[in-house]
């Protein structure tokens, strides 16, 4: 049975009068607190709201526009401050409703869709506090809540463990790359056997396919768009898809496991991703470049993957394409970027050393996508 949310939570309005709290935070679309980007130089922070451990904060000003409620649970012991415009609240009795269970409910896409209907219809699509408190949630027995939260946290802990392992593996490979190709290497006075070449000598860049807008669907063959390139990987669950009947016409834009793609336009210009394993064919959309690494991309991927992450490569891409929302580079722009090349045996040795690291990174990123999908499935079942 669905219950009124306002019967289980109460508003909190503690102001930062003594200015003891200095951490100013906002809330991102992933529903996590993040350092605020607001310019508060000269701003009186005494009127800002304090959020303590176990309390929630949310921004109800743009729900209709964003189709999401940015709401987050403060889990740290140290309090934070948020905008005076935010709504801060807490659970009345945690023996009846767990804060973590409530945050899981807020994380459901169904919750955001339902919230959209409560917006006030103005230009900003705002939502008032009373509307939030009037929303309905299921409140099962506390034992059931604990069971659901424990299952979710088991998945989350595994995800966090994988993230730490990925970060360690990435750092190891980056250190090896810099030691081999960057440290003590002067591009103007290269060691014996080294030479200056172009990025295109190692791999040409193919353009993605221009799919028609009426081909898009929610299931089928995933297509990598610029917006899907994040954290050097691809989240297939966020990809738009096309029917299998379109694969043949777009076959030159097929990405394999360990292929590398790059954003070639817009504010994300230069972002790259190592394509993770997928059971079906994966295609690449227009304005996403696909590096041609041959029939077995894994053999050549390590050198290119870590090369593309270097600042001098990113700086060169921005200098050609610009750093605005209208930024744009071509295949040939990328291929012409100057790169110091060592003797082949040094490059082959690096690829061999880092291949197993890249395999492990790819595996754990793939596992995290599966775990995230399991979390999403668990969230969807909360309302059943």
């Amino acid at each position: 049975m669905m219950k009124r949310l306002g019967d289980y939570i109460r508003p909190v309005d503690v102001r930062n009068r003594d200015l003891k709290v200095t951490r100013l935070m906002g809330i991102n679309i992933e529903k996590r607190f993040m350092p605020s980007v607001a310019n508060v130089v000269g701003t009186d922070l005494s009127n800002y709201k304090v959020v303590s451990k176990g309390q929630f904060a949310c921004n109800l000003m743009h729900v209709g526009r964003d189709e999401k409620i940015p709401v987050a649970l403060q889990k740290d012991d140290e309090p934070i401050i948020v905008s005076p415009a935010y709504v801060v609240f807490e659970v009345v009795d945690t023996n009846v409703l767990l804060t973590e269970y409530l945050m899981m409910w807020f994380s459901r896409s169904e919750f955001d869709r339902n919230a959209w209907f409560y917006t006030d219809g103005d230009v900003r699509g705002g939502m008032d506090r009373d509307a939030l408190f009037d929303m309905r949630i299921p409140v099962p027995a506390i034992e059931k809540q604990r069971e659901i939260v424990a299952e979710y946290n088991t998945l989350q802990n595994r995800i966090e463990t994988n993230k730490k392992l990925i970060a360690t593996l990435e750092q190891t490979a980056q250190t090896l790359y810099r030691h081999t190709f960057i440290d003590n290497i002067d591009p103007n006075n290269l060691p014996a056997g080294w030479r200056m070449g172009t990025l295109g000598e190692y791999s040409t860049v193919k353009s993605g396919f221009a799919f028609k807008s009426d081909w898009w669907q929610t299931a089928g063959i995933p297509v990598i768009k610029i917006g899907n390139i994040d954290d050097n990987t691809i989240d297939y669950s966020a990809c738009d898809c096309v029917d299998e009947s379109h694969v043949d016409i777009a076959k030159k834009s097929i990405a394999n496991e360990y292929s590398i793609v790059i954003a070639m336009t817009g504010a994300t210009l230069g972002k790259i991703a190592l394509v993770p394993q997928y059971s079906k064919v994966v295609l690449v959309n227009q304005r996403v470049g696909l590096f041609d690494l041959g029939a077995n991309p894994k053999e050549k991927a390590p050198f290119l993957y870590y090369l593309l992450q270097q600042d001098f490569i990113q700086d060169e891409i921005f200098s050609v394409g610009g750093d605005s929302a209208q930024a744009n580079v071509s295949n040939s722009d990328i291929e012409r970027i100057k790169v110091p090349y060592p003797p082949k045996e040094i490059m082959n040795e690096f690829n061999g050393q880092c291949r197993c690291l890249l395999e492990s990174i790819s595996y754990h990123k793939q596992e995290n996508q599966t775990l995230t999908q399991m979390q999403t499935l668990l969230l969807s079942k909360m309302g059943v």
Side-chain angles (χ1 to χ4, degrees):
M1 182 178 177
M2 303 294 280
K3 307 291 182 65
R4 179 178 175 271
L5 176 59
D7 294 338
Y8 296 87
I9 62 175
R10 61 188 168 211
V12 175
D13 191 357
V14 177
R15 304 293 173 137
N16 191 34
R17 301 302 185 198
D18 53 11
L19 297 176
K20 284 186 177 180
V21 183
T22 57
R23 278 204 305 163
L24 175 59
M25 306 292 274
I27 304 173
N28 61 24
I29 59 173
E30 283 80 33
K31 306 200 178 191
R32 298 187 183 95
F33 287 113
M34 63 177 185
S36 175
V37 296
N39 183 2
V40 293
V41 176
T43 302
D44 179 10
L45 298 180
S46 65
N47 196 42
Y48 279 59
K49 294 183 178 180
V50 177
V51 186
S52 298
K53 185 176 182 179
Q55 294 177 341
F56 297 82
C58 64
N59 178 4
L60 299 177
M61 292 183 288
H62 306 294
V63 177
R65 183 194 68 186
D66 299 335
E67 298 184 5
K68 279 181 176 289
I69 292 185
V71 55
L73 170 63
Q74 170 61 352
K75 297 180 180 181
D76 296 343
D77 292 329
E78 183 184 349
I80 61 174
I81 52 174
V82 296
S83 166
Y86 281 18
V87 174
V88 179
F89 58 91
E90 63 186 6
V91 171
V92 174
D93 187 350
T94 55
N95 292 313
V96 177
L97 177 62
L98 296 177
T99 56
E100 289 181 287
Y101 175 86
L102 180 56
M103 188 63 231
M104 286 178 62
W105 182 259
F106 289 153
S107 301
R108 303 173 77 241
S109 58
E110 294 86 354
F111 170 77
D112 287 320
R113 283 197 294 269
N114 188 29
W116 185 84
F117 291 103
Y118 285 83
T119 58
D120 57 24
D122 68 9
V123 175
R124 295 181 303 172
M127 177 179 177
D128 62 34
R129 190 185 73 183
D130 289 343
L132 173 67
F133 279 44
D134 281 339
M135 293 184 71
R136 303 282 166 164
I137 65 168
V139 183
I142 197 71
E143 294 79 10
K144 181 64 176 178
Q145 293 181 48
R146 292 192 181 106
E147 179 184 322
I148 294 171
V149 168
E151 185 176 354
Y152 187 88
N153 285 343
T154 297
L155 297 172
Q156 188 60 39
N157 290 339
R158 179 61 181 172
I159 290 172
E160 294 303 321
T161 298
N162 280 344
K163 284 182 177 179
K164 291 178 182 178
L165 179 56
I166 290 168
T168 299
L169 293 168
E170 289 278 17
Q171 183 60 48
T172 300
Q174 284 282 6
T175 299
L176 182 58
Y177 180 91
R178 294 195 63 83
H179 175 74
T180 307
F181 303 109
I182 302 294
D183 295 343
N184 302 317
I185 302 297
D186 181 1
N188 298 314
N189 186 22
L190 293 173
W194 287 58
R195 66 180 179 83
M196 288 301 294
T198 63
L199 203 156
E201 292 179 48
Y202 193 81
S203 173
T204 56
V205 184
K206 299 191 294 186
S207 297
F209 187 79
F211 294 92
K212 296 181 179 179
S213 59
D214 59 354
W215 290 359
W216 299 123
Q217 54 190 45
T218 56
I221 304 300
V223 177
I224 299 172
K225 296 182 178 180
I226 287 178
N228 303 128
I229 301 175
D230 185 48
D231 195 25
N232 294 340
T233 192
I234 304 297
D235 180 2
Y236 289 124
S237 67
C239 288
D240 289 327
C241 301
V242 294
D243 188 79
E244 289 188 27
S245 61
H246 299 306
V247 171
D248 190 57
I249 194 173
K251 60 184 178 183
K252 291 184 179 179
S253 299
I254 292 177
N256 300 306
E257 183 182 10
Y258 298 106
S259 290
I260 297 174
V261 294
I262 185 169
M264 299 176 65
T265 191
T268 59
L269 178 71
K271 289 181 69 174
I272 68 163
L274 185 73
V275 177
Q277 182 183 15
Y278 193 70
S279 57
K280 298 179 181 179
V281 173
V282 179
L283 299 171
V284 176
N285 195 38
Q286 62 182 340
R287 304 313 307 149
V288 174
L290 173 62
F291 287 93
D292 187 357
L293 294 174
N296 190 4
K298 182 169 62 174
E299 298 298 315
K300 295 178 65 178
F303 174 76
L304 182 62
Y305 178 64
Y306 292 104
L307 169 65
L308 292 170
Q309 296 180 55
Q310 301 307 310
D311 290 342
F312 80 93
I313 294 288
Q314 291 293 312
D315 291 344
E316 183 64 23
I317 291 173
F318 289 139
S319 70
V320 174
D323 57 3
S324 68
Q326 289 75 42
N328 184 71
V329 293
S330 67
N331 300 14
S332 58
D333 288 334
I334 295 174
E335 292 172 355
R336 283 196 296 264
I337 294 175
K338 295 291 185 180
V339 177
Y341 276 108
K344 276 191 176 180
E345 55 269 21
I346 294 178
M347 190 181 299
N348 290 340
E349 182 181 1
F350 174 81
N351 281 333
Q353 289 174 322
C354 285
R355 201 168 294 132
C356 61
L357 295 176
L358 217 55
E359 287 176 350
S360 185
I361 289 168
S362 180
Y363 171 80
H364 289 292
K365 285 188 175 183
Q366 168 100 17
E367 184 179 40
N368 272 3
Q369 290 198 22
T370 301
L371 292 168
T372 301
Q373 290 168 5
M374 292 171 66
Q375 285 183 316
T376 301
L377 180 61
L378 180 60
L379 292 176
S380 69
K381 291 181 176 180
M382 289 177 69
V384 177

